[in-house]
Structure formats: structure tokens, C-alpha cells
Amino acid sequence: MNKRGKIGFYIFLIIFVFLVMFPFIWVFLTSIKPVNEIFSSFKWFTSNPSLSSYEAALTNRPLLRYMLNSFVVSILTTLLALVFASFTAYAVTRLPIKGKGLVLGIVLAASMFPQIAIISPMFNLVTGLGLRNSYLGLIIPYITISLPLAIWILSTFFQKIPYELEESAKLDGASPFQTFRKIIFPLATPGIFTTGILVFIAAWNEYLFALTINSEDSWRTVPVGISMYQSEFSVPWGDISAATVIVTIPIVILVLIFQRRIVSGLTSGSVKE
């Protein structure tokens, strides 16, 4: 690539990154503006930055409680989804079971249902079990909508593992569960991390089930909690912007911590030896 091509590429990259980051940049700049400037001008930067919106976001509503609820629900959903999806993906990709294609087809079909189509029966189920306004009441529907994604992703990773390793373990007398635990699962760790991050973020951002099932304020998650900042007569954009920045930081930190594993998982199996 010549010098002119490199310059053009970097200009394109800068523009692309700016467009991707623009919503978050705008939200952050809005969060540090005084309240009277948010509605009175459309300036990018303020000459009097203030943290009053952050203070209001943490005091006007129980934002930390919302974050705790989201963390608990998202972590438990991720762990349970990975356990069930790992066994299912291993069974349909590595074991001699008839109808594997049908099973994966059903899983794919289940993932195509919109949430609004299953919200009524899921609400009746959770209500009948007495699990409204609880963590388990959200975990059940979250696993339902996250399992198809997790199964499909993990199936792809399990298929990339050489069958010779599994056959060698069988010759040594290993059972299918031992083979899964000692060979398949460790080799698929990058894919499991990638799947876990995707499931966690999906559970963290979910709104419809959280709004419908947990109606008490102390059980609300972050997306629903932030939507409750607005009142009947006004919308405190400063508070909402500050709350958005606060709840985004843990996700960014999580992705940065596991960045290498995520990239390794996304690229695993892309090169065939």
C-alpha cells in the first residue's frame, strides 16, 4: 500500500470510529453539562463542566441497586446458559445421535421467535410459580432466549476440534463425560468465553421481560431503572446521560479484561491446518 493509500485508510478509519463512538461521546458530553445548558444550546463542549448529573443519577433513583440486580441476573444467566449449551452442543456435534440436524433446526427456529410473542405465556409461567419480583423470575426467560444463541456458537467451536483427540481418549477408556470434561471443554475455552460475553451483554441489556416480570422498584434492572428516571412532566436528560455512562463502564471494563480471549474465540478455527 502506497503512502496515499495509507493516509486514505487512516482517514476512513478515524471517520468510522467517530461514527461508531458518536452516540457515547454525545451522551458523555451531555452528562457533564449543567442542566440549564442541555436545553439552551447545542454546543459540543461546555465551559462549566459539572458532575451534578452524576450525583443526581445516584441519589434520585437507586441506580446502584439496579446495577446489582443486573449483575446477579446476568452472571447467573450466563453460567446456567453455558452449562446447558455446552452439554447440548457436545451431544449434537460429537456423539452418534440421530436427528442432530433436526435438533439444531428446532433450536434455530426457537431463536427466531420475537420476545413479544412469548411474553404472555412466560409471564403466566413465572406468575404461576410465584417468581415475580425475583432474580429467578428473570433468569428463566433469559435462559430461554439465550440458549439458542449459545448452542449454535458452541456447536461451531466443538466441530472444529479434531475427532482424533476424542477417539484417542476413548481408546484409553475415557467415558463421554470424561472426554468432554478433560479434552473438549478445555480446547473450546476461547469459544466459551466469547459465548459467555455475548450472553452476559444480552442479559444486561434486556428490557421487555425485566419491565414485565419485575414491577417492584427494588427488583428492577438497569435498562428498566434508567427508563424510570423520566417523570410525567419532564425528562432529566442530564441524569439519564450520567446513569448511562455509569452503567456502561462495567461492560467496557469486562470486554477489555477478556479482550484477548474474545478475539481468540472469534478467530478460533478460522485457519484450517
Side-chain angles (χ1 to χ4, degrees):
M1 184 182 295
N2 55 33
K3 186 176 181 180
R4 182 176 299 179
K6 289 182 178 180
I7 294 175
F9 171 76
Y10 284 118
I11 292 175
F12 169 79
L13 186 62
I14 292 172
I15 295 174
F16 176 77
V17 172
F18 174 77
L19 292 176
V20 171
M21 294 296 297
F22 174 77
F24 184 77
I25 294 173
W26 183 261
V27 167
F28 172 72
L29 293 177
T30 302
S31 69
I32 60 176
K33 288 182 180 179
V35 177
N36 58 340
E37 287 189 21
I38 295 177
F39 300 98
S40 62
S41 67
F42 291 95
K43 296 180 179 179
W44 276 79
F45 303 98
T46 177
S47 57
N48 300 305
S50 172
L51 296 178
S52 58
S53 293
Y54 288 89
E55 181 181 356
L58 293 170
T59 56
N60 292 344
R61 305 287 298 183
L63 181 61
L64 296 180
R65 176 66 186 185
Y66 299 152
M67 294 180 67
L68 175 62
N69 294 339
S70 288
F71 268 117
V72 173
V73 172
S74 299
I75 290 174
L76 292 178
T77 298
T78 301
L79 293 177
L80 292 174
L82 288 178
V83 170
F84 291 126
S86 297
F87 285 116
T88 305
Y90 175 70
V92 298
T93 57
R94 316 294 296 197
L95 299 182
I97 299 175
K98 294 182 179 180
K100 296 180 181 180
L102 178 61
V103 173
L104 289 176
I106 294 174
V107 170
L108 180 61
S111 67
M112 294 181 179
F113 279 92
Q115 294 183 18
I116 193 65
I118 62 173
I119 186 66
S120 179
M122 192 63 68
F123 177 82
N124 293 334
L125 172 64
V126 173
T127 303
L129 295 174
L131 296 176
R132 288 197 61 197
N133 296 311
S134 68
Y135 292 141
L136 189 57
L138 282 184
I139 292 172
I140 291 175
Y142 282 9
I143 291 178
T144 303
I145 61 178
S146 62
L147 264 181
L149 170 67
I151 291 173
W152 267 92
I153 295 177
L154 290 180
S155 296
T156 302
F157 285 104
F158 287 172
Q159 287 175 346
K160 299 293 183 181
I161 299 175
Y163 284 89
E164 291 77 9
L165 297 175
E166 193 170 358
E167 292 174 356
S168 176
K170 290 179 181 179
L171 292 175
D172 291 336
S175 65
F177 179 74
Q178 289 174 327
T179 303
F180 169 78
R181 183 171 60 88
K182 296 182 178 180
I183 297 177
I184 304 299
F185 192 85
L187 291 176
T189 300
I192 292 171
F193 266 95
T194 303
T195 306
I197 293 295
L198 295 177
V199 172
F200 182 91
I201 293 176
W204 178 274
N205 292 331
E206 202 284 325
Y207 178 81
L208 182 60
F209 286 112
L211 175 67
T212 306
I213 294 174
N214 285 1
S215 56
E216 291 185 6
D217 195 45
S218 60
W219 290 101
R220 287 183 173 131
T221 56
V222 163
V224 180
I226 292 180
S227 70
M228 295 298 170
Y229 274 80
Q230 60 184 355
S231 61
E232 183 178 357
F233 302 103
S234 63
V235 180
W237 290 114
D239 297 7
I240 294 175
S241 300
T244 302
V245 173
I246 293 173
V247 302
T248 303
I249 291 175
I251 300 297
V252 174
I253 294 175
L254 183 67
V255 173
L256 291 177
I257 291 175
F258 297 107
Q259 181 181 9
R260 291 186 177 181
R261 290 188 176 271
I262 294 173
V263 174
S264 175
L266 292 174
T267 58
S268 178
S270 60
V271 179
K272 186 176 181 181
E273 297 181 357

